[in-house]
PDB file of all heavy atoms in Angstrom:
ATOM      1  N   PRO A 102       3.578   4.599  -5.369  1.00 95.00           N
ATOM      2  CA  PRO A 102       3.290   3.901  -4.107  1.00 95.00           C
ATOM      3  C   PRO A 102       4.588   3.533  -3.396  1.00 95.00           C
ATOM      4  O   PRO A 102       5.539   3.052  -4.018  1.00 95.00           O
ATOM      5  CB  PRO A 102       2.526   2.652  -4.560  1.00 95.00           C
ATOM      6  CG  PRO A 102       2.989   2.416  -5.957  1.00 95.00           C
ATOM      7  CD  PRO A 102       3.300   3.758  -6.551  1.00 95.00           C
ATOM      8  N   LEU A 103       4.625   3.770  -2.092  1.00 95.00           N
ATOM      9  CA  LEU A 103       5.779   3.398  -1.273  1.00 95.00           C
ATOM     10  C   LEU A 103       5.349   2.361  -0.250  1.00 95.00           C
ATOM     11  O   LEU A 103       4.368   2.546   0.468  1.00 95.00           O
ATOM     12  CB  LEU A 103       6.350   4.624  -0.549  1.00 95.00           C
ATOM     13  CG  LEU A 103       6.948   5.725  -1.424  1.00 95.00           C
ATOM     14  CD1 LEU A 103       7.565   6.805  -0.536  1.00 95.00           C
ATOM     15  CD2 LEU A 103       7.980   5.176  -2.399  1.00 95.00           C
ATOM     16  N   SER A 104       6.083   1.262  -0.201  1.00 95.00           N
ATOM     17  CA  SER A 104       5.790   0.188   0.740  1.00 95.00           C
ATOM     18  C   SER A 104       6.360   0.513   2.117  1.00 95.00           C
ATOM     19  O   SER A 104       7.245   1.370   2.265  1.00 95.00           O
ATOM     20  CB  SER A 104       6.381  -1.134   0.241  1.00 95.00           C
ATOM     21  OG  SER A 104       5.883  -1.473  -1.024  1.00 95.00           O
ATOM     22  N   THR A 105       5.870  -0.181   3.114  1.00 97.00           N
ATOM     23  CA  THR A 105       6.353   0.003   4.477  1.00 97.00           C
ATOM     24  C   THR A 105       6.790  -1.341   5.052  1.00 97.00           C
ATOM     25  O   THR A 105       6.441  -2.397   4.539  1.00 97.00           O
ATOM     26  CB  THR A 105       5.257   0.619   5.382  1.00 97.00           C
ATOM     27  OG1 THR A 105       4.095  -0.228   5.345  1.00 97.00           O
ATOM     28  CG2 THR A 105       4.882   2.010   4.918  1.00 97.00           C
ATOM     29  N   VAL A 106       7.558  -1.280   6.132  1.00 98.00           N
ATOM     30  CA  VAL A 106       8.030  -2.474   6.818  1.00 98.00           C
ATOM     31  C   VAL A 106       7.449  -2.478   8.226  1.00 98.00           C
ATOM     32  O   VAL A 106       7.303  -1.419   8.851  1.00 98.00           O
ATOM     33  CB  VAL A 106       9.578  -2.516   6.870  1.00 98.00           C
ATOM     34  CG1 VAL A 106      10.157  -1.262   7.520  1.00 98.00           C
ATOM     35  CG2 VAL A 106      10.069  -3.771   7.586  1.00 98.00           C
ATOM     36  N   LYS A 107       7.094  -3.659   8.712  1.00 98.00           N
ATOM     37  CA  LYS A 107       6.545  -3.748  10.059  1.00 98.00           C
ATOM     38  C   LYS A 107       7.342  -4.759  10.873  1.00 98.00           C
ATOM     39  O   LYS A 107       7.994  -5.666  10.331  1.00 98.00           O
ATOM     40  CB  LYS A 107       5.073  -4.164  10.029  1.00 98.00           C
ATOM     41  CG  LYS A 107       4.818  -5.587   9.552  1.00 98.00           C
ATOM     42  CD  LYS A 107       3.328  -5.933   9.614  1.00 98.00           C
ATOM     43  CE  LYS A 107       3.080  -7.359   9.103  1.00 98.00           C
ATOM     44  NZ  LYS A 107       1.647  -7.717   9.152  1.00 98.00           N
ATOM     45  N   VAL A 108       7.299  -4.577  12.182  1.00 98.00           N
ATOM     46  CA  VAL A 108       7.903  -5.531  13.093  1.00 98.00           C
ATOM     47  C   VAL A 108       6.874  -5.910  14.150  1.00 98.00           C
ATOM     48  O   VAL A 108       6.194  -5.050  14.702  1.00 98.00           O
ATOM     49  CB  VAL A 108       9.174  -4.965  13.771  1.00 98.00           C
ATOM     50  CG1 VAL A 108       8.895  -3.674  14.524  1.00 98.00           C
ATOM     51  CG2 VAL A 108       9.791  -5.997  14.708  1.00 98.00           C
ATOM     52  N   LYS A 109       6.746  -7.191  14.377  1.00 98.00           N
ATOM     53  CA  LYS A 109       5.916  -7.688  15.477  1.00 98.00           C
ATOM     54  C   LYS A 109       6.851  -8.070  16.616  1.00 98.00           C
ATOM     55  O   LYS A 109       7.769  -8.861  16.441  1.00 98.00           O
ATOM     56  CB  LYS A 109       5.083  -8.893  15.040  1.00 98.00           C
ATOM     57  CG  LYS A 109       4.159  -9.412  16.155  1.00 98.00           C
ATOM     58  CD  LYS A 109       3.216 -10.501  15.657  1.00 98.00           C
ATOM     59  CE  LYS A 109       3.960 -11.789  15.393  1.00 98.00           C
ATOM     60  NZ  LYS A 109       3.041 -12.922  15.087  1.00 98.00           N
ATOM     61  N   VAL A 110       6.604  -7.462  17.783  1.00 97.00           N
ATOM     62  CA  VAL A 110       7.442  -7.688  18.955  1.00 97.00           C
ATOM     63  C   VAL A 110       6.667  -8.550  19.943  1.00 97.00           C
ATOM     64  O   VAL A 110       5.577  -8.168  20.383  1.00 97.00           O
ATOM     65  CB  VAL A 110       7.838  -6.355  19.626  1.00 97.00           C
ATOM     66  CG1 VAL A 110       8.800  -6.603  20.786  1.00 97.00           C
ATOM     67  CG2 VAL A 110       8.451  -5.400  18.606  1.00 97.00           C
ATOM     68  N   VAL A 111       7.217  -9.703  20.276  1.00 97.00           N
ATOM     69  CA  VAL A 111       6.577 -10.605  21.237  1.00 97.00           C
ATOM     70  C   VAL A 111       7.417 -10.621  22.513  1.00 97.00           C
ATOM     71  O   VAL A 111       8.594 -10.973  22.490  1.00 97.00           O
ATOM     72  CB  VAL A 111       6.464 -12.035  20.676  1.00 97.00           C
ATOM     73  CG1 VAL A 111       5.777 -12.942  21.695  1.00 97.00           C
ATOM     74  CG2 VAL A 111       5.688 -12.028  19.361  1.00 97.00           C
ATOM     75  N   THR A 112       6.802 -10.197  23.617  1.00 93.00           N
ATOM     76  CA  THR A 112       7.468 -10.205  24.912  1.00 93.00           C
ATOM     77  C   THR A 112       6.688 -11.098  25.870  1.00 93.00           C
ATOM     78  O   THR A 112       5.617 -11.620  25.526  1.00 93.00           O
ATOM     79  CB  THR A 112       7.564  -8.786  25.501  1.00 93.00           C
ATOM     80  OG1 THR A 112       6.243  -8.340  25.864  1.00 93.00           O
ATOM     81  CG2 THR A 112       8.157  -7.815  24.495  1.00 93.00           C
ATOM     82  N   GLU A 113       7.204 -11.234  27.078  1.00 89.00           N
ATOM     83  CA  GLU A 113       6.501 -12.025  28.082  1.00 89.00           C
ATOM     84  C   GLU A 113       5.191 -11.366  28.490  1.00 89.00           C
ATOM     85  O   GLU A 113       4.288 -12.024  29.013  1.00 89.00           O
ATOM     86  CB  GLU A 113       7.399 -12.219  29.302  1.00 89.00           C
ATOM     87  CG  GLU A 113       8.634 -13.064  29.021  1.00 89.00           C
ATOM     88  CD  GLU A 113       9.526 -13.209  30.231  1.00 89.00           C
ATOM     89  OE1 GLU A 113       9.222 -12.576  31.274  1.00 89.00           O
ATOM     90  OE2 GLU A 113      10.542 -13.942  30.150  1.00 89.00           O
ATOM     91  N   GLU A 114       5.080 -10.051  28.244  1.00 91.00           N
ATOM     92  CA  GLU A 114       3.874  -9.312  28.626  1.00 91.00           C
ATOM     93  C   GLU A 114       2.821  -9.262  27.517  1.00 91.00           C
ATOM     94  O   GLU A 114       1.669  -8.899  27.761  1.00 91.00           O
ATOM     95  CB  GLU A 114       4.241  -7.874  29.030  1.00 91.00           C
ATOM     96  CG  GLU A 114       5.000  -7.769  30.352  1.00 91.00           C
ATOM     97  CD  GLU A 114       6.436  -8.249  30.231  1.00 91.00           C
ATOM     98  OE1 GLU A 114       7.028  -8.064  29.141  1.00 91.00           O
ATOM     99  OE2 GLU A 114       6.954  -8.818  31.206  1.00 91.00           O
ATOM    100  N   GLY A 115       3.201  -9.563  26.272  1.00 94.00           N
ATOM    101  CA  GLY A 115       2.234  -9.485  25.185  1.00 94.00           C
ATOM    102  C   GLY A 115       2.911  -9.167  23.866  1.00 94.00           C
ATOM    103  O   GLY A 115       4.111  -9.416  23.681  1.00 94.00           O
ATOM    104  N   GLU A 116       2.150  -8.607  22.919  1.00 96.00           N
ATOM    105  CA  GLU A 116       2.654  -8.310  21.586  1.00 96.00           C
ATOM    106  C   GLU A 116       2.447  -6.833  21.253  1.00 96.00           C
ATOM    107  O   GLU A 116       1.532  -6.193  21.764  1.00 96.00           O
ATOM    108  CB  GLU A 116       1.952  -9.170  20.524  1.00 96.00           C
ATOM    109  CG  GLU A 116       2.184 -10.660  20.667  1.00 96.00           C
ATOM    110  CD  GLU A 116       1.541 -11.449  19.554  1.00 96.00           C
ATOM    111  OE1 GLU A 116       0.950 -10.821  18.632  1.00 96.00           O
ATOM    112  OE2 GLU A 116       1.616 -12.688  19.579  1.00 96.00           O
ATOM    113  N   ALA A 117       3.316  -6.335  20.392  1.00 97.00           N
ATOM    114  CA  ALA A 117       3.198  -4.966  19.888  1.00 97.00           C
ATOM    115  C   ALA A 117       3.656  -4.963  18.436  1.00 97.00           C
ATOM    116  O   ALA A 117       4.352  -5.871  17.982  1.00 97.00           O
ATOM    117  CB  ALA A 117       4.033  -4.006  20.722  1.00 97.00           C
ATOM    118  N   GLU A 118       3.260  -3.930  17.701  1.00 98.00           N
ATOM    119  CA  GLU A 118       3.629  -3.828  16.292  1.00 98.00           C
ATOM    120  C   GLU A 118       3.999  -2.393  15.962  1.00 98.00           C
ATOM    121  O   GLU A 118       3.369  -1.446  16.435  1.00 98.00           O
ATOM    122  CB  GLU A 118       2.477  -4.295  15.400  1.00 98.00           C
ATOM    123  CG  GLU A 118       2.846  -4.421  13.919  1.00 98.00           C
ATOM    124  CD  GLU A 118       1.736  -5.080  13.108  1.00 98.00           C
ATOM    125  OE1 GLU A 118       1.580  -6.312  13.223  1.00 98.00           O
ATOM    126  OE2 GLU A 118       1.026  -4.354  12.379  1.00 98.00           O
ATOM    127  N   HIS A 119       5.045  -2.234  15.165  1.00 98.00           N
ATOM    128  CA  HIS A 119       5.482  -0.911  14.718  1.00 98.00           C
ATOM    129  C   HIS A 119       5.702  -0.955  13.210  1.00 98.00           C
ATOM    130  O   HIS A 119       6.100  -1.981  12.653  1.00 98.00           O
ATOM    131  CB  HIS A 119       6.778  -0.497  15.419  1.00 98.00           C
ATOM    132  CG  HIS A 119       6.679  -0.478  16.917  1.00 98.00           C
ATOM    133  ND1 HIS A 119       5.946   0.480  17.593  1.00 98.00           N
ATOM    134  CD2 HIS A 119       7.207  -1.298  17.860  1.00 98.00           C
ATOM    135  CE1 HIS A 119       6.042   0.249  18.896  1.00 98.00           C
ATOM    136  NE2 HIS A 119       6.787  -0.825  19.086  1.00 98.00           N
ATOM    137  N   VAL A 120       5.468   0.175  12.545  1.00 98.00           N
ATOM    138  CA  VAL A 120       5.583   0.271  11.097  1.00 98.00           C
ATOM    139  C   VAL A 120       6.514   1.423  10.743  1.00 98.00           C
ATOM    140  O   VAL A 120       6.460   2.495  11.359  1.00 98.00           O
ATOM    141  CB  VAL A 120       4.201   0.494  10.445  1.00 98.00           C
ATOM    142  CG1 VAL A 120       4.329   0.677   8.932  1.00 98.00           C
ATOM    143  CG2 VAL A 120       3.280  -0.681  10.752  1.00 98.00           C
ATOM    144  N   GLY A 121       7.368   1.211   9.753  1.00 98.00           N
ATOM    145  CA  GLY A 121       8.262   2.260   9.296  1.00 98.00           C
ATOM    146  C   GLY A 121       8.180   2.452   7.794  1.00 98.00           C
ATOM    147  O   GLY A 121       7.990   1.484   7.044  1.00 98.00           O
ATOM    148  N   ILE A 122       8.312   3.681   7.360  1.00 97.00           N
ATOM    149  CA  ILE A 122       8.388   3.975   5.926  1.00 97.00           C
ATOM    150  C   ILE A 122       9.817   3.794   5.436  1.00 97.00           C
ATOM    151  O   ILE A 122      10.064   3.178   4.401  1.00 97.00           O
ATOM    152  CB  ILE A 122       7.911   5.411   5.642  1.00 97.00           C
ATOM    153  CG1 ILE A 122       6.443   5.564   6.031  1.00 97.00           C
ATOM    154  CG2 ILE A 122       8.118   5.767   4.165  1.00 97.00           C
ATOM    155  CD1 ILE A 122       5.948   6.985   5.972  1.00 97.00           C
ATOM    156  N   ASN A 123      10.767   4.318   6.192  1.00 97.00           N
ATOM    157  CA  ASN A 123      12.176   4.154   5.846  1.00 97.00           C
ATOM    158  C   ASN A 123      12.736   2.827   6.339  1.00 97.00           C
ATOM    159  O   ASN A 123      13.284   2.051   5.564  1.00 97.00           O
ATOM    160  CB  ASN A 123      13.010   5.286   6.449  1.00 97.00           C
ATOM    161  CG  ASN A 123      13.107   6.481   5.536  1.00 97.00           C
ATOM    162  OD1 ASN A 123      12.802   6.399   4.352  1.00 97.00           O
ATOM    163  ND2 ASN A 123      13.524   7.608   6.077  1.00 97.00           N
ATOM    164  N   GLU A 124      12.605   2.600   7.650  1.00 98.00           N
ATOM    165  CA  GLU A 124      13.226   1.433   8.241  1.00 98.00           C
ATOM    166  C   GLU A 124      12.697   1.157   9.633  1.00 98.00           C
ATOM    167  O   GLU A 124      12.074   2.016  10.259  1.00 98.00           O
ATOM    168  CB  GLU A 124      14.750   1.601   8.319  1.00 98.00           C
ATOM    169  CG  GLU A 124      15.240   2.545   9.395  1.00 98.00           C
ATOM    170  CD  GLU A 124      15.258   4.010   9.034  1.00 98.00           C
ATOM    171  OE1 GLU A 124      15.764   4.358   7.960  1.00 98.00           O
ATOM    172  OE2 GLU A 124      14.753   4.821   9.843  1.00 98.00           O
ATOM    173  N   VAL A 125      12.981  -0.058  10.084  1.00 98.00           N
ATOM    174  CA  VAL A 125      12.828  -0.446  11.479  1.00 98.00           C
ATOM    175  C   VAL A 125      14.143  -1.102  11.874  1.00 98.00           C
ATOM    176  O   VAL A 125      14.696  -1.892  11.102  1.00 98.00           O
ATOM    177  CB  VAL A 125      11.662  -1.431  11.694  1.00 98.00           C
ATOM    178  CG1 VAL A 125      11.579  -1.847  13.161  1.00 98.00           C
ATOM    179  CG2 VAL A 125      10.339  -0.822  11.246  1.00 98.00           C
TER     180      VAL A 125
END
Side-chain angles (χ1 to χ4, degrees):
L103 295 185
S104 302
T105 57
V106 56
K107 68 178 179 180
V108 57
K109 182 173 72 172
V110 184
V111 181
T112 69
E113 294 178 356
E114 290 73 33
E116 297 183 3
E118 189 172 285
H119 302 289
V120 177
I122 297 172
N123 271 345
E124 74 276 312
V125 178

